[in-house]
């Protein structure tokens, strides 16, 4: 298989546009601005990721009509200056022994309401509130849930490369022996394969064999995989800074008629969910399409989670494919479609692809066979 080209790095102009869009979106939502702590949002908006996240205040301040400002500890300023988006913002540093909130407060509207990245430390918000008691704060996931949801062509290329790498890892894991080995052994194989195919980070390798497969987020354990087991394989991580996440369910030896039927139902549900992906459809329509197949087959009570989640610089982010989510799908959104059936104490089945919304439908970034694979 030919190697996927390495995507071009994001430029300062890319980050400048993202920050401007975030500030404008905040204003449209009635917010005075956005405060971004170290984490996925800061990486997405500036390309900066501190080497260590400590109690020292680091915060990006964005507001419509003013230049972006990144407040950083002085000892970390050299690293921040090397970030890809550094030239698109102003750096303001502070030294140990001085008041970082005194440096930050003049950048904020004294009576403003600000969106704050979800992983901001409470001590920093309390520090700012003490300086500016008229301010208030709301989580970015609530205020601007679609901030990172619509990907541009460069982001889509990264997600596609991550999906291809996960597919290659799956193709190789089918060649290893399952029977007589522990779940942790197969999980280690999966992690090594993700790294071999270009992932910089492995986020999870779920290997749920037999009754463990009935737990959607089972962590690989010491159970020995046996012949006759259904095995759920759910794995992913980051490649070029963007996520992969795919699930296939395999069987050690020949499946029973019931096991095959359950797998067929999930496969049809997953196909229906993917077919529902199109511009203008609501997120909940994807969930409804997949869930209807499982309910009609009589397994509705055993589908116990949402049908999907967004993916980008993290493997779980908005939007979510769940009943009640009326957010319309637009081209460039990327998310999982992963229905499942979980029979307690017996086995589970899940099939998952990452899909993106196109101008006229949807396209999958995972293209391995969805039929039940038989392994030794």
């Amino acid at each position: 298989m030919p190697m996927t080209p390495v995507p071009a790095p994001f430029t300062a102009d890319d980050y400048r546009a993202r920050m401007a869009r975030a500030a404008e979106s905040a204003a449209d939502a009635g917010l005075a601005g956005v405060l971004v702590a170290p984490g996925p949002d800061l990486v997405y908006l500036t390309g900066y990721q501190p080497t260590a996240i400590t109690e020292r205040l680091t915060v990006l301040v964005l507001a419509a009509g003013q230049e972006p400002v990144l407040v950083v500890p002085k000892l970390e300023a050299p690293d921040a200056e090397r970030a890809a988006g550094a030239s698109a913002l102003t750096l303001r540093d502070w030294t140990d022994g001085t008041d970082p909130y005194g440096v930050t407060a003049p950048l904020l509207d004294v009576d403003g309401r600000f969106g704050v990245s979800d992983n901001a430390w409470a001590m920093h918000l309390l520090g700012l509130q003490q300086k500016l008691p008229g301010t208030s704060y709301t989580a970015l996931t609530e205020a601007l849930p679609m901030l990172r949801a619509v990907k541009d062509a460069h982001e889509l290329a990264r997600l596609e490369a991550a999906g291809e790498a996960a597919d290659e890892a799956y193709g190789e894991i089918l060649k290893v022996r399952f029977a007589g080995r522990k779940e942790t052994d197969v999980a280690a194989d999966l992690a090594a394969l993700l790294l071999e195919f270009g992932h910089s980070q492995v986020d999870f390798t779920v290997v749920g064999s037999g009754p463990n497969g009935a737990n959607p987020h089972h962590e690989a354990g010491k159970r020995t995989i046996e012949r006759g087991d259904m095995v759920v394989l759910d794995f992913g991580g980051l490649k070029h800074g963007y996520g992969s996440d795919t699930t296939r369910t395999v069987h050690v030896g020949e499946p029973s008629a019931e096991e095959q039927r359950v797998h067929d139902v999930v496969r049809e549900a997953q196909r229906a969910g993917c077919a529902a992906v199109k511009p203008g459809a609501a997120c909940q329509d994807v969930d409804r399409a997949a869930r209807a197949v499982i309910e009609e087959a009589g397994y509705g009570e055993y589908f116990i989670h949402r049908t999907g989640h967004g993916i980008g610089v993290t493997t779980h982010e908005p939007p979510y494919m769940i009943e009640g989510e009326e957010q319309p799908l637009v081209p460039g959104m990327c998310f999982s479609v992963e229905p499942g059936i979980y029979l307690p104490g017996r086995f589970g089945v899940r099939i998952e692809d990452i899909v993106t919304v196109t101008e006229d439908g949807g396209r999958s970034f995972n293209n391995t066979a969805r039929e039940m694979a038989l392994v030794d």
Side-chain angles (χ1 to χ4, degrees), residues 20 23 30-31 70 77 84 113 125 199 235 237 243 251 265 280 282 354 369:
L31 298 174
L70 180 63
R113 183 167 178 78
L125 287 186
H199 279 61
F235 51 98
H251 199 276
V265 170
I354 298 301

Side-chain angles (χ1 to χ4, degrees), residues 336-350:
S336 65
V337 179
E338 51 176 307
I341 294 174
Y342 309 93
L343 303 180
R346 302 181 62 204
F347 65 89
V349 175
R350 183 165 64 256

Side-chain angles (χ1 to χ4, degrees), residues 87-100:
S87 64
L89 50 79
T90 298
L91 277 170
R92 189 162 299 180
D93 61 33
W94 61 276
T95 58
D96 284 352
T98 62
D99 180 8

Side-chain angles (χ1 to χ4, degrees), residues 115-344:
V116 181
S117 53
D118 297 356
N119 52 347
W121 286 27
M123 65 177 284
H124 295 320
L125 287 186
L126 293 170
L128 286 171
Q129 274 191 315
Q130 191 171 25
K131 285 288 183 186
L132 300 170
T135 57
S136 59
Y137 306 92
T138 184
L140 272 184
T141 292
E142 295 295 326
L144 300 177
M146 297 299 112
L147 177 65
R148 306 195 315 253
V150 179
K151 275 64 178 179
D152 63 26
H154 299 299
E155 293 179 284
L156 292 174
R158 286 165 167 76
L159 284 161
E160 184 169 17
E164 288 177 357
D167 283 357
E168 291 188 273
Y170 175 67
E172 291 301 312
I173 203 67
L174 295 180
K175 301 174 184 178
V176 310
R177 184 161 186 82
F178 280 66
R181 302 177 71 214
K182 297 185 186 305
E183 292 174 341
T184 49
D185 296 332
V186 177
D189 290 341
L190 272 172
L193 286 166
L194 286 172
L195 294 173
E196 178 183 337
F197 290 114
H199 279 61
S200 60
Q201 175 177 312
V202 177
D203 287 341
F204 51 89
T205 50
V206 173
V207 179
S209 64
N212 288 342
N215 176 357
H217 281 170
H218 170 71
E219 291 188 8
K222 297 298 183 181
R223 183 182 185 276
T224 298
I225 302 169
E226 303 172 352
R227 288 196 65 80
D229 278 349
M230 194 83 87
V231 185
V232 178
L233 304 173
D234 182 355
F235 51 98
L238 299 182
K239 180 174 182 177
H240 304 312
Y242 280 72
S244 67
D245 186 0
T246 188
T247 307
R248 294 293 185 262
T249 303
V250 304
H251 199 276
V252 187
E254 291 292 331
S256 68
E258 182 188 22
E259 289 170 329
Q260 185 65 61
R261 168 171 162 72
V262 171
H263 193 281
D264 288 346
V265 170
V266 173
R267 182 179 161 208
E268 180 55 35
Q270 206 263 346
R271 183 160 42 213
C274 290
V277 176
K278 59 183 177 181
C283 289
Q284 68 181 5
D285 293 339
V286 178
D287 183 82
R288 289 174 175 179
R291 199 167 298 276
V293 174
I294 292 175
E295 289 178 345
E296 185 176 348
Y299 294 100
E301 66 182 294
Y302 303 112
F303 181 11
I304 56 177
H305 56 72
R306 65 197 175 202
T307 294
H309 58 82
I311 191 168
V313 293
T314 60
T315 48
H316 282 213
E317 62 186 46
Y320 298 103
M321 307 302 113
I322 190 170
E323 181 64 32
E325 180 52 80
E326 297 179 351
Q327 168 68 43
L329 301 181
V330 299
M333 283 183 175
C334 301
F335 48 84
S336 65
V337 179
E338 51 176 307
I341 294 174
Y342 309 93
L343 303 180

